[in-house]
Amino acid sequence: MSPTNTWAILVIFCSAISFVFASDPDTLQDLCVALPSSGVKVNGFACKAEANVTAADFFYDGIAKPAVINNTVGSVVTAANVEKIPGLNTLGVSFSRIDYKPGGLNPPHTHPRATEIVFVLEGQLDVGFITTANKLISKSIKKGEIFVFPKGLVHYQKNNGDKPASVISAFSSQLPGTLSIASALFTSTPTVPDDVLAQAFQIDTKEVDKIKTKLAPKKS
């Protein structure tokens, strides 16, 4: 095999490895506490001066108690990501707590930057995700059990029980992002054209308007 072919294969192999292991970039120092106020635009946040770092940068008690649920879907997600814990910057992990009323739903959504793993604190949930082959992988999970949602795939959780439920979610990103399917399609700014949605869902534009009205953010 010629040296040229050998180098070409090596380059392709290294590129493939980089795609396989793609996630939040590895940190190159002990810590890089986020400093959003710096105004510097990077893939993450600029670092606070280490002399100004304190324990508070690595602490958050916002998921210690169940959230108050006051919405139509019957669930609340409380994030514990780099926006709440600056010390997570460059570390590639984050948490959330999700609380559900009886009958509550965390609607179909995706996390474009992270795999998610949920641990059930209380109650029982019906959960599932949809593969790119359009296959639904679903299961009922209860207190003490775990379920994994692969990165980028549409997934949901539903409390079909008669008691409240809650989970802790761990993510493979400091800021996994959340794209709610219904909200993204029907409440985006600017809006997706009605004729596009009507044709995609095989409904008329009047039905599109009804859905947009129902999903529109409530004015306080």
Side-chain angles (χ1 to χ4, degrees):
M1 184 179 293
S2 69
T4 301
N5 288 340
T6 301
W7 278 109
I9 291 171
L10 182 61
V11 168
I12 293 170
F13 180 72
C14 291
S15 298
I17 290 176
S18 69
F19 279 112
V20 168
F21 291 99
S23 60
D24 284 4
D26 285 336
T27 180
L28 299 178
Q29 59 273 320
D30 289 343
L31 50 86
C32 175
V33 173
L35 187 65
S37 61
S38 72
V40 176
K41 299 293 185 181
V42 295
N43 188 22
F45 296 96
C47 305
K48 178 190 287 190
E50 192 164 340
N52 298 328
V53 172
T54 70
D57 293 315
F58 299 88
F59 175 80
Y60 182 63
D61 63 358
I63 62 174
K65 298 178 180 180
V68 176
I69 303 172
N70 186 24
N71 57 42
T72 56
V73 295
S75 72
V76 169
V77 179
T78 305
N81 54 38
V82 69
E83 294 177 337
K84 303 291 181 63
I85 310 171
L88 287 178
N89 195 37
T90 75
L91 298 185
V93 294
S94 60
F95 263 26
S96 285
R97 175 180 177 134
I98 313 172
D99 295 294
Y100 315 78
K101 286 183 175 180
L105 170 71
N106 189 11
H109 62 282
T110 72
H111 301 294
R113 297 186 288 274
T115 291
E116 176 182 8
I117 181 169
V118 297
F119 174 82
V120 183
L121 294 173
E122 296 290 343
Q124 182 170 318
L125 296 168
D126 294 329
V127 302
F129 64 85
I130 303 166
T131 71
T132 55
N134 218 29
K135 180 178 180 179
L136 174 64
I137 307 293
S138 62
K139 187 172 179 60
S140 293
I141 56 175
K142 61 183 183 297
K143 182 176 180 178
E145 295 181 339
I146 283 172
F147 196 79
V148 177
F149 303 107
K151 180 179 179 178
L153 296 186
V154 175
H155 60 282
Y156 65 87
Q157 305 107 31
K158 179 78 161 67
N159 179 8
N160 282 319
D162 57 3
K163 297 180 180 178
S166 58
V167 303
I168 291 292
S169 295
F171 299 93
S172 60
S173 172
Q174 67 183 37
L175 196 62
T178 300
L179 185 69
S180 178
I181 305 304
S183 293
L185 289 172
F186 290 94
T187 68
S188 67
T189 303
T191 60
V192 177
D194 285 2
D195 63 325
V196 172
L197 295 172
Q199 187 170 347
F201 288 94
Q202 297 296 290
I203 57 179
D204 61 39
T205 55
K206 290 183 179 179
E207 290 299 317
V208 171
D209 288 337
K210 287 181 182 179
I211 295 171
K212 285 184 174 180
T213 299
K214 288 182 178 180
L215 294 178
K218 302 296 185 291
K219 295 181 180 180
S220 55

